[in-house]
Amino acid sequence: MGEYEKAELIAICREKLLAEGYLLRVEQDFDMVPKIIDAIGKPYLTPKMSPFFNDFTGENCFWLLLERGDQLVAAAGARLDDLGGGSITEYWRRTMRRHYGAGKHEVIGRVAHPCEEDLRGRLAYFGDLYFAAGAGRSLQTVRRFVMIGHMLSALKWNPDWTYAFLRERDIKRGAGYHYGFNRYIPDAQFWIDPPAPRENTEYCAMVSRRDLAYMAETYIRSPERL
């Protein structure tokens, strides 16, 4: 999938959102992130996407925002982590120890072996996706918004894999499909003492560069499916 195809799919999704009265904005002033979370009424900001726990730059992070009129109705963060040939298990243990264990205490143990075997190289992570209460969004709105996030990440970083953590109840409601992921690994990581709102039943939702490219080509051929 070339840059033209990625840009074309962004344009398709953007036009559909515009027809519904939505405007898109990319935010890379990370001091604004806590204010964004407050504005949409999200009860928490995860440490993985928080500027208080990470030194983000315009090269490794962005936030995608959706507005309607003068109201911010949705937000999602994306970040790049280049592991090279490193282990996702060791990366998760190290970062979760810093984020949830004050840098001293181990907070996760076992990691699902499909994650350990496949999540390598350049990894794009989606986190803190949230729609404000009363936003009036449809599932199509969600899919278009998230697909733009996928394509922006692909244009900016060309990751080997894109992933997110999803709750089991959301997977059962079809969140993986609407968020553009085609692999769902249950019990992705075992928390020694799960910090709310994290759970030991979380899935790691994943999509490879190859599969994301095929998905994009499919939607470009049949935009009515978005």
Side-chain angles (χ1 to χ4, degrees):
M1 176 175 56
E3 291 187 355
Y4 175 80
E5 287 77 14
K6 298 169 189 174
E8 184 176 5
L9 187 52
I10 289 173
I12 291 170
C13 292
R14 179 175 175 272
E15 288 303 314
K16 289 177 178 288
L17 289 171
L18 280 171
E20 296 178 322
Y22 293 106
L23 292 175
L24 282 159
R25 181 161 62 87
V26 173
E27 180 63 73
Q28 289 188 296
D29 179 354
F30 303 111
D31 289 338
M32 292 296 297
V33 171
K35 298 175 184 178
I36 290 167
I37 296 300
D38 287 342
I40 60 174
K42 191 174 189 294
Y44 62 88
L45 172 62
T46 61
K48 192 170 179 68
M49 293 307 306
S50 171
F52 301 125
F53 287 87
N54 305 272
D55 292 323
F56 291 129
T57 72
E59 296 302 312
N60 66 7
C61 185
F62 69 85
W63 282 77
L64 186 63
L65 310 179
L66 193 64
E67 299 172 335
R68 196 172 199 176
D70 59 356
Q71 182 185 6
L72 180 63
V73 298
R79 61 177 286 168
L80 174 72
D81 296 300
D82 192 344
L83 272 60
S87 160
I88 191 67
T89 297
E90 293 308 312
Y91 174 75
W92 280 349
R93 284 177 179 159
R94 183 173 65 254
T95 56
M96 298 303 184
R97 184 168 62 241
R98 182 170 65 252
H99 291 163
Y100 294 98
K104 302 176 182 178
H105 308 294
E106 294 292 347
V107 295
I108 64 169
R110 172 181 50 81
V111 169
H113 65 82
C115 297
E116 168 61 23
E117 292 169 3
D118 292 342
L119 284 180
R120 302 276 173 150
R122 295 170 61 81
L123 306 179
Y125 171 79
F126 279 175
D128 288 275
L129 171 64
Y130 193 81
F131 275 77
R137 69 22 175 150
S138 65
L139 289 176
Q140 288 82 3
T141 301
V142 173
R143 289 177 63 200
R144 294 161 186 165
F145 179 66
V146 176
M147 187 55 64
I148 289 174
H150 277 297
M151 292 299 103
L152 285 175
S153 295
L155 275 170
K156 189 174 181 64
W157 299 319
N158 195 28
D160 297 293
W161 290 86
T162 303
Y163 77 98
F165 293 114
L166 300 180
R167 294 173 297 187
E168 186 171 51
R169 58 185 176 275
D170 293 329
I171 285 286
K172 289 179 177 179
R173 289 199 290 257
Y177 167 73
H178 293 294
Y179 295 169
F181 296 101
N182 64 348
R183 287 186 66 190
Y184 323 123
I185 309 301
D187 301 347
Q189 54 188 0
F190 179 80
W191 293 89
I192 296 168
D193 183 15
R198 306 305 298 268
E199 303 171 354
N200 274 330
T201 55
E202 288 175 343
Y203 283 61
C204 182
M206 308 158 52
V207 62
S208 68
R209 177 194 294 141
R210 178 199 64 192
D211 289 354
L212 183 63
Y214 179 76
M215 189 186 310
E217 292 163 5
T218 299
Y219 287 139
I220 290 171
R221 288 195 302 268
S222 305
E224 70 279 1
R225 297 167 72 177
L226 277 167

